[in-house]
C-alpha cells in the first residue's frame, strides 16, 4: 500500500515574506494547517506559496553527484549489494513513497477558485503537473508498472488497495502532464535557475520521451516497440523547441580549458547553460559535501573511473585514443596529454593544482582515495578547506542545455533523421567546447571498433555510437548512467572489470603529473628504503593475510585491477527494483516485479 498523510497540511503564511521572493527547495519547509483552504486557493500569493512545497520532489543538493555510484564506468570501495548474488531483495528496497504525490493532487483538485484569472490558475496547475510528471517518471523508471493516482485520497478510499496500472497508461498520463506544463507555465526565464520555467518543462519532456522511446525500442520483452518512434519524435520536438526558442547556449566563457568545469564548481549557476539547479546559499547555510565525498578515504564509496571508460575520450584532433599505437602501455602522465579537454576537467590529471592553507600545490591522484588512478574532480572545489564535511558552496545543476543537445541528437539518430546540420549543432558543438578540432560538422561514417567491442556490440550506426560516447563523457557523474543502461538494455556492462592506470613495473616510483616529483609506487614486498613523499601500494596476492583486492593484470606489471576477487551478478529482472516487502504485505494486489519473488 502506498503511504499518504491522512490530514493534508498547508504551508504557513509565516514563511511567505521570504518564499514569495524566490524558491530554495533545500529549506525543506513542511506544510502546516495554519491557514484555511480559501486563504490558500483564493489568491495568487497563496498559489505561489503552495507550489513551493513541490520542490521537495526534486533531488536534494547532495543527491545528483552521488547517483552514478552504480554504473559501468566507475569502481567503488565495495560491490553494491544490488550487483551481488542474493544480497538484495524486497526487504532492502525503498522508494515506494507517495506523500509528495498527494500534495500535488490536493492542489490540482482545489485550484478552481473563479476569483482568480483562469490563466493564473492554469500556470500554477502547469507547475503542479510538471512535478507530478517528474514524480511519476522516477517511479516508473524504478518500479515499472505503478498505480496512476490523479486525485487526493484519504485512508478509507478503497482505491488504496488496488493493483498497479500498466506502464503505457502511466506514461501516457505523464506525457499529458508535460504537454500541459509546456503549454501553460508562463515563466520563461528565471535568473536564479531554481524555479520551474516553460523551458525546464520542455527539457523534462525531452528527457522523459527519450528514455521511454529507447526503452520501448531496446527492452523488447515489453512488446512496445511499435510506439517507440512516437516517443522519440516527441523527444526530438521538445529538444528542438528548447534549442530554437529558449535562449540557452553552451557555456564558453572559460575557454576550452575551463568552460566545462565552471558549470560544476560555480557558486551561482552558470545561467546561459544551466536550466535548473540546486542553488547553494551561504546566508541560508545551504551547502553540499561533494569535496568530502570525492577526497575522503572513509566517507562515501571512493568512486574512481575505470580505464576502459577513460579510453573513450578522444584525441584533440578527433581521432580515437584507442587507435594510437602503444596506447595500452601508456602511463597515466602520458595518456592524459592531447585529449578531449573535458578529461582534465573531470579527473585529477596533468598540472592540476589545489589550494592548501593559502598555498597552491600540485595535486596528482591520491591513492588513499582512488583505486584506479582516475580520481574525480568534476564537482570538487580546488581548496582543501572544503574537504571535511558539508562545506561546499557550489550549486548543483539538475538540468542543462548540453543534455538537451544530446537528447536531440540521440532521438534524431534513433529515428534515422540525423543530418550534418544536426550533428554540427549538437555533438560538434559539444566537442568544439572541449577543444576537439576535427569531425565537428559532418556525421561520422566509420564505426569505432573500441566502442563496439567494449560497450555497444549490437550498434553498427557510427553516429549513434559517437552520440553514446559523447553522452557518457559529457554527463559523467550527473546521475544519468544507470538508467541509460536500463533504457539501452545493457545492464551486463555493470559487470565490466574495474581496471585502472597502467603500471610498467613493481618497485618503481611514478610521476603522475609530470612535475618531476615521484608520487606512487606499487610493490609486493615493501622496500626497505622507501622514497620520501611516495605513496606505496601493495599489489601482492595477499594483504594482511587475506586476498588483496588491488592487483596488477599481469602480476608484476599491467593495469591496476580492483576487487576482481568479488563476483558481481546481473540478471535482466534487475532492470526494475522490487516492490518493498512491507508495502507488498500491506497491499498484496500490487504484485511483485518478476524475478524478485
Amino acid at each position: 500500500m502506498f503511504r499518504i498523510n491522512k490530514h493534508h497540511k498547508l504551508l504557513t503564511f509565516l514563511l511567505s515574506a521570504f518564499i514569495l521572493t524566490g524558491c530554495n527547495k533545500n529549506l525543506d519547509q513542511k506544510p502546516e494547517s495554519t491557514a484555511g483552504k480559501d486563504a490558500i486557493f483564493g489568491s495568487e500569493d497563496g498559489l505561489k506559496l503552495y507550489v513551493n512545497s513541490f520542490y521537495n520532489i526534486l533531488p536534494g543538493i547532495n543527491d545528483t553527484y552521488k547517483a552514478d555510484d552504480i554504473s559501468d564506468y566507475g569502481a567503488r570501495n565495495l560491490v553494491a549489494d544490488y550487483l551481488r548474488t542474493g544480497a538484495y531483495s524486497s526487504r532492502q528496497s525503498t522508494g515506494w513513497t507517495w506523500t509528495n504525490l498527494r500534495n500535488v493532487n490536493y492542489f490540482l483538485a482545489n485550484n478552481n477558485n473563479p476569483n482568480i484569472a483562469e490563466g493564473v490558475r492554469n500556470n500554477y496547475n502547469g507547475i503542479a503537473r510538471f512535478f507530478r510528471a517528474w514524480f511519476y517518471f522516477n517511479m516508473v523508471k524504478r518500479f515499472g508498472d505503478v498505480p496512476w493516482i490523479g486525485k487526493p485520497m484519504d485512508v478509507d478510499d478503497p482505491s488504496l488497495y488496488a493493483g498497479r496500472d500498466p506502464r503505457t497508461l502511466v506514461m501516457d498520463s505523464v506525457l499529458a502532464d508535460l504537454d500541459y506544463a509546456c503549454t501553460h507555465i508562463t515563466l520563461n526565464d528565471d535568473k536564479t535557475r531554481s524555479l520551474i520555467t516553460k523551458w525546464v518543462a520542455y527539457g523534462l519532456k525531452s528527457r522523459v520521451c527519450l528514455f521511454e522511446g529507447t526503452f520501448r525500442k531496446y527492452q523488447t520483452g515489453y512488446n512496445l516497440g511499435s510506439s517507440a518512434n512516437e516517443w522519440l519524435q516527441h523527444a526530438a520536438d521538445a529538444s528542438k523547441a528548447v534549442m530554437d526558442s529558449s535562449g540557452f547556449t553552451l557555456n564558453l566563457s572559460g575557454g576550452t580549458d575551463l568552460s566545462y568545469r565552471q558549470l560544476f564548481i560555480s557558486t551561482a549557476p552558470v545561467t546561459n547553460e544551466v536550466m535548473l539547479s540546486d542553488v547553494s546559499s551561504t546566508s541560508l547555510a545551504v551547502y553540499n559535501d561533494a569535496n568530502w565525498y570525492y577526497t575522503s578515504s572513509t566517507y562515501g564509496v571512493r568512486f574512481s573511473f575505470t580505464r576502459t571508460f577513460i579510453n573513450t575520450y578522444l584525441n584533440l584532433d578527433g581521432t580515437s585514443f584507442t587507435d594510437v599505437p602503444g596506447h595500452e602501455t601508456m602511463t597515466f602522465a602520458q595518456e592524459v596529454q592531447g585529449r578531449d579537454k573535458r578529461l582534465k576537467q573531470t579527473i585529477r590529471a596533468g598540472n592540476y593544482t589545489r589550494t592548501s592553507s593559502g598555498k597552491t600545490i600540485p595535486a596528482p591522484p591520491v591513492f588513499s582515495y582512488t583505486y584506479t588512478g582516475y580520481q574525480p574532480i568534476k564537482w570538487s572545489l580546488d581548496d582543501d578547506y572544503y574537504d571535511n564535511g558539508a562545506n561546499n558552496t557550489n550549486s548543483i545543476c539538475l538540468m542543462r542545455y548540453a543534455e538537451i543537445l544530446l537528447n536531440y541528437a540521440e532521438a534524431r539518430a534513433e529515428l534515422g533523421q540525423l543530418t550534418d546540420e544536426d550533428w554540427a549543432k549538437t555533438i560538434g558543438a559539444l566537442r568544439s567546447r572541449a577543444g576537439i578540432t576535427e569531425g565537428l560538422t559532418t556525421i561520422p561514417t566509420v564505426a569505432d571498433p573500441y566502442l563496439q567491442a567494449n560497450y555497444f556490440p549490437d550498434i553498427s550506426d557510427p553516429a549513434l555510437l559517437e552520440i553514446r560516447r559523447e553522452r557518457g563523457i559529457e554527463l559523467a557523474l550527473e546521475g544519468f548512467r544507470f538508467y541509460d543502461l536500463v533504457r539501452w538494455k545493457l545492464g551486463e556492462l555493470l559487470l565490466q572489470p574495474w581496471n585502472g592506470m597502467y603500471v610498467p613495473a613493481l618497485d618503481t616510483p611514478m610521476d603522475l603529473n609530470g612535475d618531476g616529483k615521484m608520487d606512487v609506487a606499487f610493490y609486493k614486498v615493501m622496500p626497505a628504503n622507501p622514497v620520501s613523499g611516495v605513496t606505496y601500494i601493495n599489489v601482492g596476492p595477499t594483504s594482511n593475510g587475506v586476498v588483496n583486492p588491488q592487483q596488477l593484470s599481469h602480476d608484476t606489471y599491467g593495469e591496476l585491477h580492483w576487487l576482481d576477487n568479488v563476483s558481481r551478478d546481473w540478471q535482466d529482472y534487475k532492470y526494475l527494483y522490487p516492490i518493498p516487502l512491507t508495502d507488498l504485505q500491506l497491499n498484496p494486489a500490487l504484485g511483485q516485479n518478476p524475478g524478485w519473488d
Side-chain angles (χ1 to χ4, degrees):
M1 183 180 76
F2 45 87
R3 306 182 187 100
I4 60 171
N5 288 335
K6 180 177 180 181
H7 301 292
H8 182 76
K9 302 175 182 178
L10 298 178
L11 284 170
T12 174
F13 278 100
L14 296 176
L15 294 173
S16 61
F18 167 73
I19 295 177
L20 294 179
T21 63
C23 168
N24 192 313
K25 79 183 188 68
N26 299 296
L27 293 177
D28 199 26
Q29 300 102 335
K30 298 296 183 183
E32 297 181 11
S33 53
T34 58
K37 186 166 68 173
D38 289 343
I40 293 291
F41 294 103
S43 70
E44 183 174 0
D45 283 350
L47 300 181
K48 187 183 298 185
L49 181 63
Y50 195 117
V51 299
N52 276 283
S53 68
F54 302 155
Y55 282 78
N56 291 310
I57 291 174
L58 299 177
I61 200 166
N62 290 312
D63 295 339
T64 296
Y65 55 82
K66 301 175 183 178
D68 280 342
D69 284 353
I70 299 180
S71 64
D72 62 319
Y73 52 43
R76 44 181 283 169
N77 56 352
L78 298 170
V79 174
D81 284 350
Y82 203 71
L83 299 179
R84 292 173 55 225
T85 302
Y88 193 93
S89 72
S90 62
R91 294 181 182 276
Q92 287 80 44
S93 189
T94 59
W96 196 261
T97 305
W98 299 80
T99 305
N100 284 326
L101 176 63
R102 187 177 194 279
N103 191 32
V104 173
N105 282 338
Y106 185 90
F107 178 88
L108 290 168
N110 289 279
N111 183 22
N112 51 23
N113 192 313
N115 294 322
I116 298 178
E118 182 179 14
V120 173
R121 283 187 279 119
N122 289 345
N123 169 59
Y124 290 104
N125 282 340
I127 297 172
R129 292 182 70 169
F130 169 92
F131 281 107
R132 186 166 66 181
W134 188 296
F135 172 87
Y136 261 112
F137 177 49
N138 285 321
M139 293 297 284
V140 170
K141 284 194 302 181
R142 188 172 181 86
F143 297 112
D145 295 347
V146 293
W148 173 258
I149 305 165
K151 64 177 183 178
M153 291 192 293
D154 293 317
V155 293
D156 57 353
D157 193 315
S159 299
L160 289 173
Y161 296 93
R164 294 187 274 169
D165 290 306
R167 178 191 193 96
T168 50
L169 183 153
V170 177
M171 290 307 295
D172 284 348
S173 301
V174 167
L175 182 58
D177 275 351
L178 288 171
D179 283 339
Y180 187 96
C182 292
T183 301
H184 292 96
I185 293 176
T186 57
L187 184 63
N188 278 289
D189 189 35
D190 162 48
K191 296 302 183 185
T192 72
R193 296 299 184 255
S194 66
L195 298 177
I196 305 306
T197 67
K198 176 184 295 290
W199 303 116
V200 172
Y202 273 104
L204 181 59
K205 182 179 178 181
S206 165
R207 180 185 296 179
V208 168
C209 292
L210 178 67
F211 179 91
E212 190 64 12
T214 49
F215 184 94
R216 295 187 184 201
K217 179 174 182 176
Y218 293 106
Q219 291 280 2
T220 56
Y222 289 83
N223 296 315
L224 297 174
S226 62
S227 58
N229 281 359
E230 179 183 353
W231 284 87
L232 290 168
Q233 190 61 57
H234 285 310
D237 292 345
S239 302
K240 194 65 161 57
V242 176
M243 293 163 63
D244 288 347
S245 304
S246 70
F248 286 104
T249 60
L250 292 178
N251 177 50
L252 303 176
S253 63
T256 57
D257 290 320
L258 188 58
S259 57
Y260 178 70
R261 191 154 184 257
Q262 282 179 338
L263 299 164
F264 313 107
I265 61 174
S266 297
T267 299
V270 180
T271 55
N272 59 314
E273 180 168 342
V274 174
M275 300 171 66
L276 182 65
S277 182
D278 271 321
V279 180
S280 66
S281 171
T282 300
S283 62
L284 297 172
V286 178
Y287 305 111
N288 68 75
D289 63 7
N291 270 54
W292 192 22
Y293 194 72
Y294 287 116
T295 62
S296 173
S297 61
T298 56
Y299 175 61
V301 301
R302 291 176 63 176
F303 183 98
S304 306
F305 287 108
T306 65
R307 195 181 200 211
T308 304
F309 175 69
I310 295 299
N311 282 344
T312 67
Y313 283 75
L314 297 172
N315 298 316
L316 286 174
D317 63 3
T319 60
S320 295
F321 172 71
T322 49
D323 288 342
V324 176
H327 74 272
E328 300 93 340
T329 57
M330 284 186 181
T331 63
F332 180 87
Q334 294 169 332
E335 68 180 337
V336 299
Q337 302 302 318
R339 306 281 293 279
D340 179 329
K341 292 193 176 182
R342 285 170 296 190
L343 181 57
K344 290 184 180 180
Q345 297 172 69
T346 302
I347 63 170
R348 295 191 180 201
N351 59 355
Y352 175 68
T353 59
R354 303 192 80 216
T355 300
S356 181
S357 301
K359 297 181 179 179
T360 300
I361 59 173
V366 177
F367 275 82
S368 61
Y369 175 87
T370 185
Y371 298 110
T372 65
Y374 306 110
Q375 181 175 354
I377 62 167
K378 183 167 176 173
W379 297 102
S380 296
L381 302 178
D382 297 332
D383 192 323
D384 65 11
Y385 164 81
Y386 301 101
D387 289 357
N388 298 298
N391 302 315
N392 279 46
T393 57
N394 47 322
S395 294
I396 307 298
C397 53
L398 302 178
M399 182 183 294
R400 58 189 181 93
Y401 185 63
E403 180 205 343
I404 307 304
L405 298 183
L406 289 163
N407 293 349
Y408 180 71
E410 186 176 349
R412 292 277 286 179
E414 291 285 7
L415 289 165
Q417 299 172 353
L418 190 71
T419 66
D420 285 343
E421 181 182 6
D422 295 333
W423 179 267
K425 289 181 177 180
T426 57
I427 307 306
L430 290 167
R431 290 182 176 178
S432 177
R433 194 239 307 259
I436 295 171
T437 58
E438 302 296 331
L440 306 180
T441 59
T442 56
I443 297 172
T445 57
V446 178
D448 186 333
Y450 183 84
L451 292 180
Q452 289 182 308
N454 290 279
Y455 286 99
F456 312 116
D458 296 328
I459 301 298
S460 58
D461 178 359
L464 190 55
L465 284 169
E466 294 301 322
I467 291 166
R468 290 189 179 186
R469 181 206 303 270
E470 194 68 22
R471 186 175 180 90
I473 290 169
E474 179 70 26
L475 300 180
L477 298 183
E478 295 183 51
F480 291 96
R481 190 62 172 188
F482 178 82
Y483 281 106
D484 280 347
L485 300 184
V486 167
R487 66 190 179 89
W488 295 331
K489 200 179 182 183
L490 289 172
E492 63 273 13
L493 290 179
L494 295 167
L495 307 182
Q496 285 197 353
W498 289 347
N499 59 341
M501 70 181 199
Y502 183 79
V503 178
L506 295 176
D507 307 320
T508 306
M510 301 174 66
D511 178 5
L512 299 179
N513 56 353
D515 66 352
K517 296 180 180 179
M518 298 297 112
D519 301 305
V520 66
F522 301 87
Y523 70 91
K524 285 188 174 185
V525 178
M526 184 67 181
N529 298 301
V531 178
S532 177
V534 172
T535 300
Y536 284 83
I537 304 296
N538 182 2
V539 291
T542 61
S543 177
N544 297 319
V546 298
V547 175
N548 189 355
Q550 193 159 29
Q551 300 187 29
L552 298 180
S553 59
H554 296 288
D555 189 32
T556 59
Y557 70 96
E559 292 181 339
L560 277 172
H561 273 241
W562 174 250
L563 284 183
D564 283 354
N565 60 313
V566 178
S567 63
R568 282 175 278 159
D569 172 72
W570 179 262
Q571 303 294 331
D572 281 357
Y573 67 80
K574 292 184 179 182
Y575 285 118
L576 297 177
Y577 276 76
I579 308 301
L581 179 61
T582 53
D583 296 286
L584 189 59
Q585 289 174 331
L586 288 168
N587 182 12
L590 294 173
Q592 186 54 278
N593 282 327
W596 292 105
D597 297 308

